[in-house]
């Protein structure tokens, strides 16, 4: 199989519905820096937590995060 660049405006299934697979198991899909991702994956939540005060956390403190990825 030849290696190269696929340039298209739109990718659809031949039936108009179903699953479109990009790559295969074990491969990485790269989104270059500066590219824009839209759709469902664009709403991937991310957050950062820091302790900027001189405080201490107790051993009983716990945090639970839940949600769909």
């Amino acid at each position: 199989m030849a290696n190269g660049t696929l340039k298209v405006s739109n990718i659809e299934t031949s039936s108009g519905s179903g699953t479109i697979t990009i790559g295969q198991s074990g491969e990485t899909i790269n989104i270059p820096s500066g590219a824009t991702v839209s759709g469902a994956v664009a709403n991937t939540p991310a957050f950062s937590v820091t302790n900027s005060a001189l405080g201490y956390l107790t051993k009983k403190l716990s945090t639970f995060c839940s949600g769909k990825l």
Side-chain angles (χ1 to χ4, degrees), residues 47-50 57-67:
F47 64 92
S48 175
V49 177
T50 60
L57 301 176
T58 67
K59 291 181 181 179
K60 294 183 180 182
L61 179 69
S62 63
T63 303
F64 177 78
C65 296
S66 177

Side-chain angles (χ1 to χ4, degrees), residues 8-67:
V8 298
S9 296
N10 193 29
I11 299 173
E12 297 180 4
T13 62
S14 58
S15 65
S17 65
T19 301
I20 296 173
T21 302
I22 300 174
Q24 61 186 7
S25 178
E27 291 183 332
T28 300
I29 306 300
N30 182 45
I31 309 294
S33 176
T36 301
V37 177
S38 63
V41 295
N43 192 23
T44 304
F47 64 92
S48 175
V49 177
T50 60
N51 182 4
S52 60
L54 294 175
Y56 298 94
L57 301 176
T58 67
K59 291 181 181 179
K60 294 183 180 182
L61 179 69
S62 63
T63 303
F64 177 78
C65 296
S66 177

